[in-house]
Amino acid sequence: MNFAITGVAGYIAPRHLKAIKETGHNLVAALDPHDSVGLLDGYFPDASFFVEFERFERHLDLLHRKSESERVHFLSICSPNFLHDSHIRLALRLGADAICEKPIVLNPWNLDALETVEKETGRKVYTVLQLRTHPSIIELKRKVETAIKSQPDKKFDISLDYITSRGLWYDFSWKGSVEKSGGVATNIGIHFFDMLIWIFGSPVHSRILANSKRSMKGELELENAFVKWNLSINYDDLPESVKSAGKRTYRSIKIDGEELEFTEGFTELHTVVYRDILDGKGYGIYDARPSIQLAYQIRNGIEF
């Protein structure tokens, strides 16, 4: 299979390049307005590289018109969140499937439009919900399902703290713009909201306790859980033990007071996601919708 990628100079792109290589496929084209992309030499040195979207689109269109063996079959989308919608449409219109980083889009109604394009083109939008492939998370889901079978009315008590400190640069990048990234709840929280909904069921009630550009807190009731969540990119919010250890990220999920251990194994999960997609088992728009809806509501202060 032939792949192309957008946002190849970004933070998450190396995991996608690694996944494409490890699954035995080829990258034929890459796009990024920034040209610091020497990492391509370690993966696909012969891939065509573009800094302008228009030339990238034209190249993919030419490949599409040449032959089945030369066209792009998958477009991996690692570009900033606000560009995902446009890049997905490019993939589908060129007869390729899209593999898009979270979130697929920022607003729920954009998913409706993409579903329409899926039907028109016969192509598929896949998303990277890698926490669903983590062995510890899969085991937790199994345990929860077993517990609920024996106690249908059980509600788990969950506390989620995710503090991943970012410097001043963050505020001046696209990630610091709520309009472009979706803010803290979407940019760093959506991974965990998706995981919690996947395991504990649909949202029932949501309340926001604190809301600033760099941190948020709230309470969330799911079908089978009460969740207190705390998201931050402020270094000062890190526990002292984490600071003294020279670390800048703190991740904690406690379920009925018991810590869930899932700190290892993250770097390999994208390859697992790609293998699932290539086997026809990947997650799509339907799967991504609940967390996108919730993040949108939190971002806009909509309580229910």
Side-chain angles (χ1 to χ4, degrees):
M1 296 283 191
N2 293 327
F3 281 75
I5 189 170
T6 66
V8 71
Y11 165 77
I12 204 66
R15 296 187 190 181
H16 287 257
L17 296 174
K18 183 171 181 280
I20 295 167
K21 191 174 184 67
E22 289 185 344
T23 53
H25 299 284
N26 187 39
L27 184 78
V28 297
L31 168 71
D32 203 290
H34 304 285
D35 59 8
S36 297
V37 292
L39 81 164
L40 283 171
D41 288 343
Y43 294 100
F44 302 101
D46 295 327
S48 298
F49 173 66
F50 301 85
V51 295
E52 295 168 326
F53 176 82
E54 294 80 5
R55 292 184 174 180
F56 176 73
E57 185 274 335
R58 182 172 61 192
H59 181 68
L60 297 194
D61 183 64
L62 288 172
L63 294 178
H64 174 65
R65 297 176 186 280
K66 281 187 175 182
S67 67
E68 174 63 25
S69 64
E70 293 180 89
R71 77 172 181 90
V72 168
H73 302 96
F74 286 91
L75 178 61
S76 297
I77 299 167
C78 305
S79 45
N81 298 348
F82 71 103
L83 297 175
H84 288 180
D85 187 37
S86 172
H87 294 177
I88 289 170
R89 290 170 185 274
L90 169 64
L92 301 184
R93 298 296 188 195
L94 290 174
D97 292 327
I99 301 178
C100 187
E101 269 295 341
K102 296 172 298 300
I104 295 179
V105 292
L106 297 178
N107 303 307
W109 56 86
N110 298 134
L111 293 174
D112 301 334
L114 288 179
E115 284 180 328
T116 298
V117 182
E118 275 188 327
K119 292 174 183 177
E120 291 173 351
T121 60
R123 307 317 303 176
K124 176 77 173 174
V125 181
Y126 294 99
T127 189
V128 182
L129 303 177
Q130 73 267 35
L131 286 186
R132 296 193 187 193
T133 70
H134 194 291
S136 296
I137 304 302
I138 293 171
E139 176 62 15
L140 172 62
K141 183 174 173 63
R142 186 192 66 76
K143 288 180 179 179
V144 169
E145 288 173 347
T146 300
I148 292 171
K149 282 181 181 177
S150 60
Q151 295 177 266
D153 296 328
K154 178 174 176 56
K155 287 273 193 178
F156 294 84
D157 283 312
I158 300 173
S159 63
L160 163 66
D161 290 280
Y162 183 48
I163 302 164
T164 177
S165 55
R166 299 289 187 266
L168 291 177
W169 67 268
Y170 190 96
D171 298 324
F172 296 93
S173 73
W174 66 267
K175 294 182 178 183
S177 168
V178 174
E179 292 77 14
K180 293 182 177 181
S181 72
V184 170
T186 299
N187 205 42
I188 71 168
I190 201 163
H191 311 68
F192 298 102
F193 291 137
D194 172 77
M195 181 195 76
L196 292 172
I197 292 171
W198 185 56
I199 297 174
F200 297 100
S202 300
V204 178
H205 298 293
S206 174
R207 188 160 74 103
I208 300 159
L209 302 178
N211 185 358
S212 70
K213 188 174 181 180
R214 293 177 65 92
S215 65
M216 298 188 79
K217 291 182 181 181
E219 294 177 340
L220 177 65
E221 181 184 353
L222 303 173
E223 289 176 286
N224 298 110
F226 293 108
V227 183
K228 290 184 178 180
W229 56 269
N230 172 35
L231 304 171
S232 176
I233 58 171
N234 292 321
Y235 178 79
D236 290 342
D237 291 338
L238 289 168
E240 288 302 323
S241 59
V242 175
K243 293 179 186 177
S244 61
K247 298 180 180 178
R248 296 183 62 85
T249 296
Y250 173 69
R251 181 191 298 112
S252 172
I253 298 179
K254 293 179 180 176
I255 302 166
D256 288 344
E258 183 177 343
E259 189 77 34
L260 172 66
E261 177 56 47
F262 67 118
T263 55
E264 301 297 328
F266 279 88
T267 57
E268 308 303 319
L269 295 181
H270 277 69
T271 299
V272 177
V273 169
Y274 268 66
R275 288 198 177 109
D276 286 345
I277 290 171
L278 291 163
D279 288 341
K281 299 181 294 187
Y283 294 109
I285 290 175
Y286 174 84
D287 306 287
R289 185 182 290 274
S291 59
I292 289 176
Q293 176 72 35
L294 178 61
Y296 167 80
Q297 290 168 322
I298 291 172
R299 178 170 77 248
N300 288 282
I302 301 171
E303 299 185 345
F304 55 92

